Amino acid sequence: MAAAFSALVLPKWTDDSSLKSAISWVHNHQLRPINFSTHICVSRAPILRRGNQFKRPVCQSANPAVEIKKQSAVAKSAPVLPFRVGHGFDLHRLEPGLPLIIGGIDIPHDRGCDAHSDGDVLLHCVVDAILGALGLPDIGQLFPDNDPKWRGAASSVFLKEAVRLMHEAGYELGNLDATLILQRPKLSPHKEAIRTNLCELLGSDPSVINLKAKTHEKVDSLGENRSIAAHTIVLLMKK
Ligand SMILES: [Zn+2]
């Protein structure tokens, strides 16, 4: 019940003069106002910093315990956040004789990703970043790799579904930052095509989609051209 003592709640004001006096009271006691919508809530932390030499306000119409209880109930029922952040990671083994698809673009190389679908490491981690931001199950749970339906599927199908879920939840993409990690081939000649396709799939302006590529300094499977990985972070904004 420690949370019940984390804030003090002043009475609801009824007119401008009582609002002004409430604000003045908060400033006089060097407190930090939290919410002025219906009540004034002030953080208890400044009181403790002043050695508890503080006169507790008289609470006339608001019951702090009830107010805190209400806030706890809201928190438990997943509050609608103005922003949501998500991170995605994916890695695939590279095998000779397979196509290398990155961001929906067929990249010429002597090997490609071993996967149930088309093995698009970038789109997979973008999907997971969006699903993660929405607090939904990951790509492997939504599109199981033992389901014949997804055998050889284009990963754009997964991304379109993630985007649909994002809009259904009332969010739009703020920005996206992705990093591809591979030793070969050099990605710079293909980066713009990948980014353009990603923008189209996401329905986003290129200015909010960033793509970086780096090697793994010839270390481990990534650096030995035996695997490819990608990280993505997305920021979703409430519409
Ligand atoms: Zn994958």
Side-chain angles (χ1 to χ4, degrees):
M1 290 301 291
F5 300 99
S6 64
L8 300 172
V9 182
L10 271 68
K12 187 176 182 178
W13 62 81
T14 52
D15 52 39
D16 278 355
S17 63
S18 60
L19 172 59
K20 279 177 189 165
S21 63
I23 292 172
S24 157
W25 183 91
V26 167
H27 287 295
N28 287 343
H29 291 86
Q30 300 174 24
L31 298 175
R32 180 169 55 89
I34 296 173
N35 180 1
F36 283 92
S37 58
T38 53
H39 295 80
I40 292 179
C41 301
V42 290
S43 166
R44 189 180 176 83
I47 306 170
L48 298 175
R49 281 203 297 273
R50 297 173 64 214
N52 281 335
Q53 292 178 353
F54 175 71
K55 189 177 174 185
R56 186 180 283 247
V58 177
C59 195
Q60 295 167 358
S61 64
N63 181 338
V66 172
E67 185 77 8
I68 295 296
K69 205 172 175 182
K70 274 186 196 167
Q71 289 171 357
S72 301
V74 169
K76 278 176 189 166
S77 62
V80 177
L81 302 174
F83 302 101
R84 298 190 72 110
V85 174
H87 169 257
F89 169 76
D90 196 30
L91 181 147
H92 282 276
R93 207 170 51 241
L94 290 171
E95 296 286 353
L98 295 173
L100 179 61
I101 312 291
I102 301 177
I105 305 296
D106 197 341
I107 309 290
H109 193 36
D110 62 352
R111 57 196 67 192
C113 289
D114 182 26
H116 186 68
S117 64
D118 65 359
D120 193 322
V121 70
L122 177 60
L123 295 196
H124 290 182
C125 84
V126 170
V127 168
D128 257 350
I130 294 172
L131 295 176
L134 295 172
L136 294 173
D138 63 36
I139 187 171
Q141 291 170 277
L142 292 187
F143 311 103
D145 63 6
N146 55 7
D147 187 336
K149 188 164 55 172
W150 308 122
R151 184 160 194 81
S155 297
S156 56
V157 172
F158 311 144
L159 185 52
K160 283 174 185 168
E161 176 61 7
V163 169
R164 189 192 68 77
L165 290 167
M166 174 180 75
H167 289 303
E168 188 179 76
Y171 286 88
E172 60 187 354
L173 186 69
N175 73 305
L176 177 153
D177 188 25
T179 303
L180 281 156
I181 308 168
L182 70 168
Q183 196 64 37
R184 295 203 311 269
K186 276 217 163 301
L187 220 57
S188 46
H190 312 287
K191 264 174 81 177
E192 214 38 54
I194 294 171
R195 195 165 76 110
T196 300
N197 195 45
L198 199 52
C199 292
E200 275 177 30
L201 291 170
L202 291 163
S204 298
D205 189 89
S207 64
V208 298
I209 307 296
N210 192 46
L211 182 62
K212 310 188 292 295
K214 60 187 291 133
T215 71
H216 210 249
E217 297 293 329
K218 300 183 179 175
V219 175
D220 299 333
S221 65
L222 284 166
E224 293 166 2
N225 196 29
R226 292 188 289 115
S227 66
I228 177 171
H231 290 268
T232 300
I233 289 179
V234 295
L235 174 71
L236 306 189
M237 304 190 304
K238 194 85 180 88
K239 290 185 198 174

